[in-house]
Amino acid sequence: ASGHIPAVVREGMAYAEFTAGEHRWRIGPQGVAAADFWHKHLDGINTDPILTRSVADEKGGEISVVLEAGASALVQRAARERNITPYAVLLACYARLLGEETGRDELIIGTPATLRDRAALRNTVGYLVNTVQIRCPVATGGADPVSAVDVNARNALARRRFPFSVLVEQLRVARAPGVTPLIQSMFAYQSLPREDRALLPLALNADGVKWDFGAGVSAETVAMPAFDAQFPIALSLGRR
């Protein structure tokens, strides 16, 4: 042996270190500015539940859908025409559907956002996801609601670090048993790099998708049973 002692490779920032850093950020100038944005972003919107508990139990649930090539092409074209993202197009469509079902002309829709956006957090073990609230107009008096949703989504996701639980406390949203405050509907768009799209069924909890790895090794996905979701309505989309 050469006697050389290899450098210790740090696997990732400790979760406790991460949470302490997020607390310092929240009470610092950037966190205060983010809180100010959120208060203005959600000012004046109706925060009453969009569903009663009985309706949520009957009609709610989590749905995962893989967009086929034709539908995906239409979404991509609509996004290019407006110079926005496919995510915003699909979110606006989802908001329109919920608006028609609930009679609301404006909704708050939640979306999961990763906080694992730094190299030091790549291998950190812990829950590094926040729920971001996006204000989604259904009708804008002649303006394009899809473009309005895109602007709101970009601004909201840029402030993803501000904790959802803290915002609910600061806004003093009315609480009711069995009803999630502020948000009752979630939207997620699984946009994977082309080389990773074979993993999409895993992200969307699809059942019966098979892989053959060669040498007699194969695998098949098994959908996990539905659980009592935190939010009554959730839609997850992905494209091939």
Side-chain angles (χ1 to χ4, degrees):
S2 64
H4 174 70
I5 301 177
V8 175
V9 178
R10 188 176 187 183
E11 294 186 353
M13 181 187 295
Y15 188 69
E17 184 181 349
F18 164 75
T19 56
E22 290 301 289
H23 175 73
R24 290 192 298 270
W25 175 87
R26 182 172 62 80
I27 63 177
Q30 290 182 311
V32 171
D36 182 64
F37 162 82
W38 283 115
H39 283 254
K40 293 176 180 177
H41 180 66
L42 300 174
D43 182 49
I45 194 169
N46 186 351
T47 58
D48 292 340
I50 61 174
L51 296 175
T52 63
R53 183 71 262 178
S54 59
V55 173
D57 289 340
E58 179 183 350
K59 297 185 178 180
E62 181 175 352
I63 300 174
S64 298
V65 178
V66 177
L67 295 177
E68 297 300 334
S72 182
L74 290 174
V75 172
Q76 295 285 338
R77 186 174 69 183
R80 285 194 301 269
E81 290 173 350
R82 294 171 171 82
N83 194 29
I84 63 177
T85 63
Y87 169 87
V89 173
L90 292 167
L91 176 59
C93 292
Y94 181 49
R96 176 63 180 270
L97 178 62
L98 287 177
E100 291 180 352
E101 288 291 325
T102 62
R104 299 283 179 90
D105 58 6
E106 196 172 32
L107 297 158
I108 303 173
I109 297 178
T111 195
T114 181
L115 302 178
R116 204 180 296 272
D117 55 359
R118 287 163 277 165
L121 298 172
R122 187 170 301 162
N123 297 319
T124 298
V125 178
Y127 188 72
L128 279 72
V129 177
N130 189 30
T131 299
V132 174
Q133 313 85 59
I134 301 176
R135 189 168 185 158
C136 297
V138 176
T140 56
D144 181 13
V146 180
S147 297
V149 167
D150 176 68
V151 171
N152 287 351
R154 290 177 186 272
N155 288 332
L157 289 170
R159 281 89 173 176
R160 68 180 65 190
R161 289 179 69 179
F162 199 86
F164 172 66
S165 58
V166 174
L167 182 62
V168 169
E169 292 178 2
Q170 290 187 357
L171 293 176
R172 298 181 180 178
V173 179
R175 308 294 288 268
V179 177
T180 51
L182 200 61
I183 294 174
Q184 284 194 294
S185 58
M186 286 288 288
F187 175 80
Y189 178 52
Q190 305 291 347
S191 180
L192 300 178
R194 186 177 300 275
E195 61 272 17
D196 293 335
R197 285 181 190 167
L199 301 176
L200 186 60
L202 295 177
L204 295 179
N205 195 31
D207 190 44
V209 179
K210 299 178 181 180
W211 285 278
D212 185 354
F213 299 102
V217 178
S218 62
E220 180 177 349
T221 60
V222 177
M224 297 294 292
F227 296 97
D228 186 13
Q230 180 182 2
F231 302 98
I233 306 174
L235 174 64
S236 295
L237 293 176
R239 67 184 181 94
R240 294 190 186 279

